[in-house]
Amino acid sequence: VPPHPSASTLRVAAAQIPNVVGDLEGNARRIGDAMAWAEDQLADVVVFPELALTGYPLADLSAREDFVDRAGEVLADLARRAGRTAAVVSTVSRVPPRRSWDTRERSVAIGAAVLCDGEVRGVYHKVLLPNYEIFDEARNFAHGDRPGLVWRIGDAIAGIAICEDLWSGDGPPERQSAGGARILLVPNASPFHREKPTGRLELAAQVARRNGTPVVYVNCVGGQDELVFDGGSLVVDADGELLHRAPQFAADRFVLDVPLGRGRPVHEPACTVHTRPARERDPLPRPEPVAPPSDDEQVWDALVLGTRDFVRRNGGTTVALGLSGGIDAAVTAAVAADALGPEQVLGLAMPGPDTAPEELEDARELAELLGIRFAAVPLRRPTAILADELAGVLEGDLDDRASGALEARMRAAIIWAACDQLHALPLATGNKSELSIGSATLHGDMAGAFAPLKDCRKTLLHRLARLRNARGPAIPERILDRTPDELPTDSDGSGPAYADVDAIVERYVEQGRTVEELVAAGFDESVVRGVLQLVDDAELERRQMPPGVRITARAFGQDLRMPITHAWRPFEAEQAEIAVDVPTLVNVS
Amino acid sequence: VPPHPSASTLRVAAAQIPNVVGDLEGNARRIGDAMAWAEDQLADVVVFPELALTGYPLADLSAREDFVDRAGEVLADLARRAGRTAAVVSTVSRVPPRRSWDTRERSVAIGAAVLCDGEVRGVYHKVLLPNYEIFDEARNFAHGDRPGLVWRIGDAIAGIAICEDLWSGDGPPERQSAGGARILLVPNASPFHREKPTGRLELAAQVARRNGTPVVYVNCVGGQDELVFDGGSLVVDADGELLHRAPQFAADRFVLDVPLGRGRPVHEPACTVHTRPARERDPLPRPEPVAPPSDDEQVWDALVLGTRDFVRRNGGTTVALGLSGGIDAAVTAAVAADALGPEQVLGLAMPGPDTAPEELEDARELAELLGIRFAAVPLRRPTAILADELAGVLEGDLDDRASGALEARMRAAIIWAACDQLHALPLATGNKSELSIGSATLHGDMAGAFAPLKDCRKTLLHRLARLRNARGPAIPERILDRTPDELPTDSDGSGPAYADVDAIVERYVEQGRTVEELVAAGFDESVVRGVLQLVDDAELERRQMPPGVRITARAFGQDLRMPITHAWRPFEAEQAEIAVDVPTLVNVS
């Protein structure tokens, strides 16, 4: 290897593709297509997202020996098809068993294989394994032990780092740049939340400036359970200036002549991909970067993509949901219509004893505006019969809470029955504010296969509704008017205002503020403690919530793992004696 | 510190107490009581379980700053009450921020504080942080960096290691023993599964023999969400011989004069707890060790304790469940009766159109034998009304699958309504075999706040029923006869036999065998692949299952984290076009 390979630019192609978890054949087909395209572009290298071959996150699939074996076979097939354009294909990769933070040996790493001229030229192994928020990588993966590895690609020296590797400030990119790398190729699987896209650009620019090395950041795209990978791949030059940004929430390919960082001696061991000089070719015009949409538009796009991919990738095309005449159901229906096409959405109105006629009318108008299918199933008679039977057995009428919950569960049973019959998936309409304090009914309005608004606070829903209406009439104004934007008080005065709930949950649960800090910021201590008690108590119900689209850095579920049984505030269950008057051995005919 | 402190025995007390997650005040009260008792016993040291002060597992509670602050205050209070008997109290403990496997700094460790003479003498920090199966410790905790720390307690040198620290073969116990420790004090939070109790004794004996050091292994007891901590604390001498074993599934205290390992020079830095010589006292009689119950008895005890603690610690006293006349409901009812007292259990029979009269009779007889409360709510009329209304909307009668599921969900709605009214918790009756292949109905027979049999395979239920009947009549023979022990074929021939499902799930999912290995062992390949496809597809439903008692090393949930959306076998969802004939804009009155 000459000490100063002499290229001044590297032609880099990037494939922002969906990584479908476990779909080795489908992922390999998408990768192979992009490899052939990059070859046509005379690219020096084509970069794919993190675990492009296997999908991300794998959870415990990576512990299945036959899955890892099969991934190896599929990678070997791809390598045989590799030509002169080096392909950076990330996949699971076996390493010698190693122990680190516990007593368990791990022998599978997250790798980035470099394919060229029909062969696998080498594999980089991810060094830093995120194990916080939604990430679990220290569970199944071994860490890489060659952070400084660099790659000779013709006349250029490149470094390869994977996702988390990029962010430590003294990790693989720093080692590789000091060791000779003049460009960093970085496969990522970086899930969306509201603050993520801005953060990525800032951090990539910092890494580039710190090391004097351009950064090619390639992300995947698509919904995977609760996560939405939003793409938005980007390239910054050695000064940290943005050279290109790909669109979000859509598959994309781009190719770019990237000016390399300054020449430097090669100190680290280099793996040779090939030694041919650069091909004769005309410089490429710089592609037009895409301006990112507004924050709320990004959220909307995330909800739509997350819902579409959940339904389709689980074998469905059609969904059904209950239309109550409220804003939660309206926004859920609009998301579903955008995700799947309005003709694939069935809205069911299920008027109960307390349903006002205008609520039914609003539901019907919503369905008409969206163009979704609509039907109504009256609930009064069957609910009344069941309530009567129960009253006989329980020796007293159901109280308001119990009869409201019974109605919600009857509605869920009806939606599920329609879905079972129609091979559709039911959508739950609950939002994050309700989930926070347990005001949704478990197995009632929280029932469904997927809950698009699970991570959207009540106070966000109005903004989303207005945003969607600006694109075309969707949600009747009367639905928006019925619940004011600011929610100054709870409608019936029986609980905390959603605006308080949202503000307290954001600060305490998402940002880790203490009660003292909240009180210092002007919140009433008794309201704060009351809301937090509700939040803790609601974990029992939240644990059984359907998956939904994550849009914040702290979604309930994988981001916020709380015990159900807990007593952070004083625990008196042993003293609790709930008076229950249960009948014994009632006879029935 | 003299190089060879001269004691020959250490009087060790152990407190096998419940660690209630988050219950700092309650845990401190239990710890303080045991400290006073140990003082009365003239013990040199009293050892508590891992995270005895905070509870275990904490999940993201350990990331709450005010929780960690408060734990520190409570520990300081306990220290002020400490006398001459050193107390090893494990709690969360702040350390300087450190980074290890990812870019995130962590500043809270799992500590074992040593309290004596009114002060905290020092804190050991757990070095090895398990991050596999149900364990997540690398998520929130910093690892300790002083594995060799030893403690002078009067004339003796002791090592302290915490749980996972014990098992690596070259970890803290080895460093501490080589560095001077003549006894190892080991706080644990070790959850039960069938193979665990035997494994613990074998491993503790290995550690003792390898190092020539006795091991005092103290475990906690009680149910925490899906986990049951079974106690079974034990002491082995320096030759690995069992000196004492505490009972399982019950709180316990014991005190023992433990012969120390051979004297050795002190190489490691020693923290001095106190330097007083041993007190004058008569040797203690050796307590009688408890013979462990049989495997199936342990499972029964785990189900009972896990169910009791889930209900009580979540503020409940009473449960309700559906009684179908089948074995799942029967065993669930028996567990609940043993856990909470029969008078706190309400069994609801809800006969539907296809319920045979003898099934209702069996349910009633079960309730009588167990002495639980019993009522029946007929389902026929309300279900028929709903099915009629749906048939009108969907332009056709519900098919068998949809109408069966509707019935299951109506039953769930009834049980929940009774529970809402009576302030009771509903129990789900589903078992692991059904969960494996998705044959239970989501929000139907899978609905509930807790599912005691979630980790029990169908083929285990008969053994459990017979075990329980041997203690006193509980489950009518006709219920046992109706489903044969071996389940050679599925009752209606429409699916795989449960015996096959159980055998395949055990080998593939729990033991990580490959399809090839299963075929080589004699399984039919098409049956294997069919069952595995069902297992993968059922993750969508399993994700919303209530928590239940873990009794195997691979329970669905925290042990087996599978993606819902996946396509490990070929993925063709994009091609799927499910024919749906949904009505548009049906008008209703």
mmCIF file with all atom_site columns, all heavy atoms in Angstrom, chain A residues 15 17 26-40 48 78 81 253:
data_model
loop_
_atom_site.group_PDB
_atom_site.id
_atom_site.type_symbol
_atom_site.label_atom_id
_atom_site.label_alt_id
_atom_site.label_comp_id
_atom_site.label_asym_id
_atom_site.label_entity_id
_atom_site.label_seq_id
_atom_site.pdbx_PDB_ins_code
_atom_site.Cartn_x
_atom_site.Cartn_y
_atom_site.Cartn_z
_atom_site.occupancy
_atom_site.B_iso_or_equiv
_atom_site.pdbx_formal_charge
_atom_site.auth_seq_id
_atom_site.auth_comp_id
_atom_site.auth_asym_id
_atom_site.auth_atom_id
_atom_site.pdbx_PDB_model_num
ATOM 1   N N   . ALA A 1 15  ? -27.547 3.495   -1.187  1.00 0.00 ? 15  ALA A N   1
ATOM 2   C CA  . ALA A 1 15  ? -28.864 2.877   -1.415  1.00 0.00 ? 15  ALA A CA  1
ATOM 3   C C   . ALA A 1 15  ? -29.656 2.937   -0.119  1.00 0.00 ? 15  ALA A C   1
ATOM 4   O O   . ALA A 1 15  ? -29.386 2.190   0.828   1.00 0.00 ? 15  ALA A O   1
ATOM 5   C CB  . ALA A 1 15  ? -28.693 1.435   -1.873  1.00 0.00 ? 15  ALA A CB  1
ATOM 6   N N   . ILE A 1 17  ? -32.527 1.853   1.304   1.00 0.00 ? 17  ILE A N   1
ATOM 7   C CA  . ILE A 1 17  ? -33.534 0.836   0.985   1.00 0.00 ? 17  ILE A CA  1
ATOM 8   C C   . ILE A 1 17  ? -34.223 0.356   2.251   1.00 0.00 ? 17  ILE A C   1
ATOM 9   O O   . ILE A 1 17  ? -33.746 0.573   3.358   1.00 0.00 ? 17  ILE A O   1
ATOM 10  C CB  . ILE A 1 17  ? -32.888 -0.379  0.261   1.00 0.00 ? 17  ILE A CB  1
ATOM 11  C CG1 . ILE A 1 17  ? -31.736 -0.951  1.106   1.00 0.00 ? 17  ILE A CG1 1
ATOM 12  C CG2 . ILE A 1 17  ? -32.405 0.012   -1.125  1.00 0.00 ? 17  ILE A CG2 1
ATOM 13  C CD1 . ILE A 1 17  ? -31.171 -2.243  0.545   1.00 0.00 ? 17  ILE A CD1 1
ATOM 14  N N   . GLY A 1 26  ? -35.441 -11.278 0.052   1.00 0.00 ? 26  GLY A N   1
ATOM 15  C CA  . GLY A 1 26  ? -35.935 -9.994  -0.450  1.00 0.00 ? 26  GLY A CA  1
ATOM 16  C C   . GLY A 1 26  ? -34.907 -8.884  -0.278  1.00 0.00 ? 26  GLY A C   1
ATOM 17  O O   . GLY A 1 26  ? -34.678 -8.082  -1.187  1.00 0.00 ? 26  GLY A O   1
ATOM 18  N N   . ASN A 1 27  ? -34.263 -8.860  0.864   1.00 0.00 ? 27  ASN A N   1
ATOM 19  C CA  . ASN A 1 27  ? -33.236 -7.842  1.073   1.00 0.00 ? 27  ASN A CA  1
ATOM 20  C C   . ASN A 1 27  ? -32.089 -8.030  0.086   1.00 0.00 ? 27  ASN A C   1
ATOM 21  O O   . ASN A 1 27  ? -31.565 -7.055  -0.466  1.00 0.00 ? 27  ASN A O   1
ATOM 22  C CB  . ASN A 1 27  ? -32.702 -7.904  2.513   1.00 0.00 ? 27  ASN A CB  1
ATOM 23  C CG  . ASN A 1 27  ? -33.743 -7.458  3.535   1.00 0.00 ? 27  ASN A CG  1
ATOM 24  O OD1 . ASN A 1 27  ? -34.627 -6.654  3.222   1.00 0.00 ? 27  ASN A OD1 1
ATOM 25  N ND2 . ASN A 1 27  ? -33.662 -7.988  4.750   1.00 0.00 ? 27  ASN A ND2 1
ATOM 26  N N   . ALA A 1 28  ? -31.698 -9.287  -0.137  1.00 0.00 ? 28  ALA A N   1
ATOM 27  C CA  . ALA A 1 28  ? -30.591 -9.554  -1.073  1.00 0.00 ? 28  ALA A CA  1
ATOM 28  C C   . ALA A 1 28  ? -30.969 -9.113  -2.486  1.00 0.00 ? 28  ALA A C   1
ATOM 29  O O   . ALA A 1 28  ? -30.131 -8.592  -3.227  1.00 0.00 ? 28  ALA A O   1
ATOM 30  C CB  . ALA A 1 28  ? -30.232 -11.034 -1.056  1.00 0.00 ? 28  ALA A CB  1
ATOM 31  N N   . ARG A 1 29  ? -32.234 -9.288  -2.846  1.00 0.00 ? 29  ARG A N   1
ATOM 32  C CA  . ARG A 1 29  ? -32.668 -8.867  -4.187  1.00 0.00 ? 29  ARG A CA  1
ATOM 33  C C   . ARG A 1 29  ? -32.554 -7.347  -4.305  1.00 0.00 ? 29  ARG A C   1
ATOM 34  O O   . ARG A 1 29  ? -32.021 -6.831  -5.293  1.00 0.00 ? 29  ARG A O   1
ATOM 35  C CB  . ARG A 1 29  ? -34.119 -9.319  -4.393  1.00 0.00 ? 29  ARG A CB  1
ATOM 36  C CG  . ARG A 1 29  ? -34.631 -9.203  -5.806  1.00 0.00 ? 29  ARG A CG  1
ATOM 37  C CD  . ARG A 1 29  ? -36.026 -9.812  -5.919  1.00 0.00 ? 29  ARG A CD  1
ATOM 38  N NE  . ARG A 1 29  ? -36.985 -9.117  -5.064  1.00 0.00 ? 29  ARG A NE  1
ATOM 39  C CZ  . ARG A 1 29  ? -37.708 -9.691  -4.094  1.00 0.00 ? 29  ARG A CZ  1
ATOM 40  N NH1 . ARG A 1 29  ? -37.591 -10.986 -3.859  1.00 0.00 ? 29  ARG A NH1 1
ATOM 41  N NH2 . ARG A 1 29  ? -38.538 -8.977  -3.373  1.00 0.00 ? 29  ARG A NH2 1
ATOM 42  N N   . ARG A 1 30  ? -33.016 -6.634  -3.273  1.00 0.00 ? 30  ARG A N   1
ATOM 43  C CA  . ARG A 1 30  ? -32.918 -5.167  -3.318  1.00 0.00 ? 30  ARG A CA  1
ATOM 44  C C   . ARG A 1 30  ? -31.449 -4.708  -3.329  1.00 0.00 ? 30  ARG A C   1
ATOM 45  O O   . ARG A 1 30  ? -31.083 -3.756  -4.012  1.00 0.00 ? 30  ARG A O   1
ATOM 46  C CB  . ARG A 1 30  ? -33.669 -4.558  -2.123  1.00 0.00 ? 30  ARG A CB  1
ATOM 47  C CG  . ARG A 1 30  ? -35.196 -4.650  -2.257  1.00 0.00 ? 30  ARG A CG  1
ATOM 48  C CD  . ARG A 1 30  ? -35.926 -4.024  -1.051  1.00 0.00 ? 30  ARG A CD  1
ATOM 49  N NE  . ARG A 1 30  ? -35.958 -4.916  0.101   1.00 0.00 ? 30  ARG A NE  1
ATOM 50  C CZ  . ARG A 1 30  ? -36.917 -5.819  0.341   1.00 0.00 ? 30  ARG A CZ  1
ATOM 51  N NH1 . ARG A 1 30  ? -37.953 -5.926  -0.479  1.00 0.00 ? 30  ARG A NH1 1
ATOM 52  N NH2 . ARG A 1 30  ? -36.864 -6.597  1.404   1.00 0.00 ? 30  ARG A NH2 1
ATOM 53  N N   . ILE A 1 31  ? -30.608 -5.401  -2.568  1.00 0.00 ? 31  ILE A N   1
ATOM 54  C CA  . ILE A 1 31  ? -29.184 -5.035  -2.538  1.00 0.00 ? 31  ILE A CA  1
ATOM 55  C C   . ILE A 1 31  ? -28.539 -5.320  -3.889  1.00 0.00 ? 31  ILE A C   1
ATOM 56  O O   . ILE A 1 31  ? -27.802 -4.479  -4.432  1.00 0.00 ? 31  ILE A O   1
ATOM 57  C CB  . ILE A 1 31  ? -28.455 -5.814  -1.406  1.00 0.00 ? 31  ILE A CB  1
ATOM 58  C CG1 . ILE A 1 31  ? -28.942 -5.330  -0.042  1.00 0.00 ? 31  ILE A CG1 1
ATOM 59  C CG2 . ILE A 1 31  ? -26.948 -5.663  -1.524  1.00 0.00 ? 31  ILE A CG2 1
ATOM 60  C CD1 . ILE A 1 31  ? -28.510 -6.210  1.125   1.00 0.00 ? 31  ILE A CD1 1
ATOM 61  N N   . GLY A 1 32  ? -28.839 -6.493  -4.442  1.00 0.00 ? 32  GLY A N   1
ATOM 62  C CA  . GLY A 1 32  ? -28.253 -6.856  -5.745  1.00 0.00 ? 32  GLY A CA  1
ATOM 63  C C   . GLY A 1 32  ? -28.657 -5.862  -6.827  1.00 0.00 ? 32  GLY A C   1
ATOM 64  O O   . GLY A 1 32  ? -27.824 -5.455  -7.659  1.00 0.00 ? 32  GLY A O   1
ATOM 65  N N   . ASP A 1 33  ? -29.917 -5.435  -6.831  1.00 0.00 ? 33  ASP A N   1
ATOM 66  C CA  . ASP A 1 33  ? -30.365 -4.441  -7.824  1.00 0.00 ? 33  ASP A CA  1
ATOM 67  C C   . ASP A 1 33  ? -29.563 -3.151  -7.690  1.00 0.00 ? 33  ASP A C   1
ATOM 68  O O   . ASP A 1 33  ? -29.142 -2.556  -8.691  1.00 0.00 ? 33  ASP A O   1
ATOM 69  C CB  . ASP A 1 33  ? -31.860 -4.112  -7.622  1.00 0.00 ? 33  ASP A CB  1
ATOM 70  C CG  . ASP A 1 33  ? -32.750 -5.284  -8.011  1.00 0.00 ? 33  ASP A CG  1
ATOM 71  O OD1 . ASP A 1 33  ? -32.238 -6.266  -8.600  1.00 0.00 ? 33  ASP A OD1 1
ATOM 72  O OD2 . ASP A 1 33  ? -33.964 -5.217  -7.705  1.00 0.00 ? 33  ASP A OD2 1
ATOM 73  N N   . ALA A 1 34  ? -29.362 -2.706  -6.457  1.00 0.00 ? 34  ALA A N   1
ATOM 74  C CA  . ALA A 1 34  ? -28.638 -1.445  -6.255  1.00 0.00 ? 34  ALA A CA  1
ATOM 75  C C   . ALA A 1 34  ? -27.152 -1.612  -6.586  1.00 0.00 ? 34  ALA A C   1
ATOM 76  O O   . ALA A 1 34  ? -26.509 -0.665  -7.056  1.00 0.00 ? 34  ALA A O   1
ATOM 77  C CB  . ALA A 1 34  ? -28.819 -0.952  -4.816  1.00 0.00 ? 34  ALA A CB  1
ATOM 78  N N   . MET A 1 35  ? -26.605 -2.799  -6.363  1.00 0.00 ? 35  MET A N   1
ATOM 79  C CA  . MET A 1 35  ? -25.204 -3.035  -6.757  1.00 0.00 ? 35  MET A CA  1
ATOM 80  C C   . MET A 1 35  ? -25.054 -2.908  -8.269  1.00 0.00 ? 35  MET A C   1
ATOM 81  O O   . MET A 1 35  ? -24.096 -2.281  -8.761  1.00 0.00 ? 35  MET A O   1
ATOM 82  C CB  . MET A 1 35  ? -24.748 -4.424  -6.276  1.00 0.00 ? 35  MET A CB  1
ATOM 83  C CG  . MET A 1 35  ? -24.433 -4.491  -4.779  1.00 0.00 ? 35  MET A CG  1
ATOM 84  S SD  . MET A 1 35  ? -24.235 -6.205  -4.151  1.00 0.00 ? 35  MET A SD  1
ATOM 85  C CE  . MET A 1 35  ? -22.845 -6.785  -5.142  1.00 0.00 ? 35  MET A CE  1
ATOM 86  N N   . ALA A 1 36  ? -25.985 -3.484  -9.005  1.00 0.00 ? 36  ALA A N   1
ATOM 87  C CA  . ALA A 1 36  ? -25.915 -3.410  -10.475 1.00 0.00 ? 36  ALA A CA  1
ATOM 88  C C   . ALA A 1 36  ? -26.069 -1.957  -10.931 1.00 0.00 ? 36  ALA A C   1
ATOM 89  O O   . ALA A 1 36  ? -25.361 -1.491  -11.842 1.00 0.00 ? 36  ALA A O   1
ATOM 90  C CB  . ALA A 1 36  ? -27.000 -4.295  -11.083 1.00 0.00 ? 36  ALA A CB  1
ATOM 91  N N   . TRP A 1 37  ? -26.978 -1.230  -10.296 1.00 0.00 ? 37  TRP A N   1
ATOM 92  C CA  . TRP A 1 37  ? -27.172 0.179   -10.636 1.00 0.00 ? 37  TRP A CA  1
ATOM 93  C C   . TRP A 1 37  ? -25.903 0.982   -10.363 1.00 0.00 ? 37  TRP A C   1
ATOM 94  O O   . TRP A 1 37  ? -25.461 1.798   -11.182 1.00 0.00 ? 37  TRP A O   1
ATOM 95  C CB  . TRP A 1 37  ? -28.354 0.744   -9.834  1.00 0.00 ? 37  TRP A CB  1
ATOM 96  C CG  . TRP A 1 37  ? -28.394 2.231   -9.755  1.00 0.00 ? 37  TRP A CG  1
ATOM 97  C CD1 . TRP A 1 37  ? -28.869 3.098   -10.694 1.00 0.00 ? 37  TRP A CD1 1
ATOM 98  C CD2 . TRP A 1 37  ? -27.929 3.046   -8.665  1.00 0.00 ? 37  TRP A CD2 1
ATOM 99  N NE1 . TRP A 1 37  ? -28.735 4.400   -10.274 1.00 0.00 ? 37  TRP A NE1 1
ATOM 100 C CE2 . TRP A 1 37  ? -28.156 4.382   -9.032  1.00 0.00 ? 37  TRP A CE2 1
ATOM 101 C CE3 . TRP A 1 37  ? -27.352 2.762   -7.425  1.00 0.00 ? 37  TRP A CE3 1
ATOM 102 C CZ2 . TRP A 1 37  ? -27.817 5.450   -8.179  1.00 0.00 ? 37  TRP A CZ2 1
ATOM 103 C CZ3 . TRP A 1 37  ? -27.010 3.805   -6.590  1.00 0.00 ? 37  TRP A CZ3 1
ATOM 104 C CH2 . TRP A 1 37  ? -27.245 5.138   -6.972  1.00 0.00 ? 37  TRP A CH2 1
ATOM 105 N N   . ALA A 1 38  ? -25.265 0.741   -9.206  1.00 0.00 ? 38  ALA A N   1
ATOM 106 C CA  . ALA A 1 38  ? -24.047 1.479   -8.843  1.00 0.00 ? 38  ALA A CA  1
ATOM 107 C C   . ALA A 1 38  ? -22.918 1.167   -9.826  1.00 0.00 ? 38  ALA A C   1
ATOM 108 O O   . ALA A 1 38  ? -22.121 2.043   -10.176 1.00 0.00 ? 38  ALA A O   1
ATOM 109 C CB  . ALA A 1 38  ? -23.625 1.128   -7.414  1.00 0.00 ? 38  ALA A CB  1
ATOM 110 N N   . GLU A 1 39  ? -22.855 -0.069  -10.258 1.00 0.00 ? 39  GLU A N   1
ATOM 111 C CA  . GLU A 1 39  ? -21.868 -0.473  -11.279 1.00 0.00 ? 39  GLU A CA  1
ATOM 112 C C   . GLU A 1 39  ? -22.093 0.345   -12.551 1.00 0.00 ? 39  GLU A C   1
ATOM 113 O O   . GLU A 1 39  ? -21.135 0.878   -13.145 1.00 0.00 ? 39  GLU A O   1
ATOM 114 C CB  . GLU A 1 39  ? -22.048 -1.973  -11.531 1.00 0.00 ? 39  GLU A CB  1
ATOM 115 C CG  . GLU A 1 39  ? -20.887 -2.686  -12.172 1.00 0.00 ? 39  GLU A CG  1
ATOM 116 C CD  . GLU A 1 39  ? -19.754 -2.999  -11.187 1.00 0.00 ? 39  GLU A CD  1
ATOM 117 O OE1 . GLU A 1 39  ? -20.034 -3.579  -10.104 1.00 0.00 ? 39  GLU A OE1 1
ATOM 118 O OE2 . GLU A 1 39  ? -18.620 -2.621  -11.491 1.00 0.00 ? 39  GLU A OE2 1
ATOM 119 N N   . ASP A 1 40  ? -23.355 0.480   -12.961 1.00 0.00 ? 40  ASP A N   1
ATOM 120 C CA  . ASP A 1 40  ? -23.688 1.292   -14.146 1.00 0.00 ? 40  ASP A CA  1
ATOM 121 C C   . ASP A 1 40  ? -23.262 2.746   -13.973 1.00 0.00 ? 40  ASP A C   1
ATOM 122 O O   . ASP A 1 40  ? -22.971 3.440   -14.949 1.00 0.00 ? 40  ASP A O   1
ATOM 123 C CB  . ASP A 1 40  ? -25.203 1.273   -14.415 1.00 0.00 ? 40  ASP A CB  1
ATOM 124 C CG  . ASP A 1 40  ? -25.653 -0.069  -14.949 1.00 0.00 ? 40  ASP A CG  1
ATOM 125 O OD1 . ASP A 1 40  ? -24.789 -0.873  -15.376 1.00 0.00 ? 40  ASP A OD1 1
ATOM 126 O OD2 . ASP A 1 40  ? -26.877 -0.327  -14.921 1.00 0.00 ? 40  ASP A OD2 1
ATOM 127 N N   . PHE A 1 48  ? -24.664 0.516   1.801   1.00 0.00 ? 48  PHE A N   1
ATOM 128 C CA  . PHE A 1 48  ? -26.016 0.123   2.222   1.00 0.00 ? 48  PHE A CA  1
ATOM 129 C C   . PHE A 1 48  ? -26.192 0.403   3.713   1.00 0.00 ? 48  PHE A C   1
ATOM 130 O O   . PHE A 1 48  ? -25.210 0.568   4.431   1.00 0.00 ? 48  PHE A O   1
ATOM 131 C CB  . PHE A 1 48  ? -26.227 -1.360  1.918   1.00 0.00 ? 48  PHE A CB  1
ATOM 132 C CG  . PHE A 1 48  ? -26.256 -1.656  0.449   1.00 0.00 ? 48  PHE A CG  1
ATOM 133 C CD1 . PHE A 1 48  ? -25.091 -1.987  -0.238  1.00 0.00 ? 48  PHE A CD1 1
ATOM 134 C CD2 . PHE A 1 48  ? -27.434 -1.553  -0.269  1.00 0.00 ? 48  PHE A CD2 1
ATOM 135 C CE1 . PHE A 1 48  ? -25.116 -2.224  -1.605  1.00 0.00 ? 48  PHE A CE1 1
ATOM 136 C CE2 . PHE A 1 48  ? -27.466 -1.795  -1.634  1.00 0.00 ? 48  PHE A CE2 1
ATOM 137 C CZ  . PHE A 1 48  ? -26.296 -2.128  -2.311  1.00 0.00 ? 48  PHE A CZ  1
ATOM 138 N N   . LEU A 1 78  ? -24.287 -12.889 -2.983  1.00 0.00 ? 78  LEU A N   1
ATOM 139 C CA  . LEU A 1 78  ? -24.158 -11.488 -3.396  1.00 0.00 ? 78  LEU A CA  1
ATOM 140 C C   . LEU A 1 78  ? -22.715 -11.184 -3.805  1.00 0.00 ? 78  LEU A C   1
ATOM 141 O O   . LEU A 1 78  ? -22.473 -10.471 -4.784  1.00 0.00 ? 78  LEU A O   1
ATOM 142 C CB  . LEU A 1 78  ? -24.552 -10.547 -2.251  1.00 0.00 ? 78  LEU A CB  1
ATOM 143 C CG  . LEU A 1 78  ? -26.021 -10.197 -2.101  1.00 0.00 ? 78  LEU A CG  1
ATOM 144 C CD1 . LEU A 1 78  ? -26.212 -9.305  -0.871  1.00 0.00 ? 78  LEU A CD1 1
ATOM 145 C CD2 . LEU A 1 78  ? -26.559 -9.481  -3.347  1.00 0.00 ? 78  LEU A CD2 1
ATOM 146 N N   . ARG A 1 81  ? -21.726 -11.878 -7.199  1.00 0.00 ? 81  ARG A N   1
ATOM 147 C CA  . ARG A 1 81  ? -22.249 -10.956 -8.214  1.00 0.00 ? 81  ARG A CA  1
ATOM 148 C C   . ARG A 1 81  ? -21.549 -9.597  -8.173  1.00 0.00 ? 81  ARG A C   1
ATOM 149 O O   . ARG A 1 81  ? -21.845 -8.723  -8.980  1.00 0.00 ? 81  ARG A O   1
ATOM 150 C CB  . ARG A 1 81  ? -23.754 -10.766 -7.991  1.00 0.00 ? 81  ARG A CB  1
ATOM 151 C CG  . ARG A 1 81  ? -24.525 -12.073 -8.185  1.00 0.00 ? 81  ARG A CG  1
ATOM 152 C CD  . ARG A 1 81  ? -25.895 -12.025 -7.540  1.00 0.00 ? 81  ARG A CD  1
ATOM 153 N NE  . ARG A 1 81  ? -26.688 -10.910 -8.042  1.00 0.00 ? 81  ARG A NE  1
ATOM 154 C CZ  . ARG A 1 81  ? -27.857 -10.520 -7.526  1.00 0.00 ? 81  ARG A CZ  1
ATOM 155 N NH1 . ARG A 1 81  ? -28.348 -11.176 -6.484  1.00 0.00 ? 81  ARG A NH1 1
ATOM 156 N NH2 . ARG A 1 81  ? -28.524 -9.519  -8.035  1.00 0.00 ? 81  ARG A NH2 1
ATOM 157 N N   . ARG A 1 253 ? -31.951 6.357   -4.018  1.00 0.00 ? 253 ARG A N   1
ATOM 158 C CA  . ARG A 1 253 ? -30.561 6.061   -4.364  1.00 0.00 ? 253 ARG A CA  1
ATOM 159 C C   . ARG A 1 253 ? -29.931 7.361   -4.799  1.00 0.00 ? 253 ARG A C   1
ATOM 160 O O   . ARG A 1 253 ? -30.578 8.197   -5.422  1.00 0.00 ? 253 ARG A O   1
ATOM 161 C CB  . ARG A 1 253 ? -30.483 5.138   -5.578  1.00 0.00 ? 253 ARG A CB  1
ATOM 162 C CG  . ARG A 1 253 ? -30.948 3.738   -5.368  1.00 0.00 ? 253 ARG A CG  1
ATOM 163 C CD  . ARG A 1 253 ? -31.061 3.071   -6.733  1.00 0.00 ? 253 ARG A CD  1
ATOM 164 N NE  . ARG A 1 253 ? -31.477 1.687   -6.569  1.00 0.00 ? 253 ARG A NE  1
ATOM 165 C CZ  . ARG A 1 253 ? -31.791 0.892   -7.581  1.00 0.00 ? 253 ARG A CZ  1
ATOM 166 N NH1 . ARG A 1 253 ? -31.740 1.353   -8.833  1.00 0.00 ? 253 ARG A NH1 1
ATOM 167 N NH2 . ARG A 1 253 ? -32.156 -0.347  -7.362  1.00 0.00 ? 253 ARG A NH2 1
#
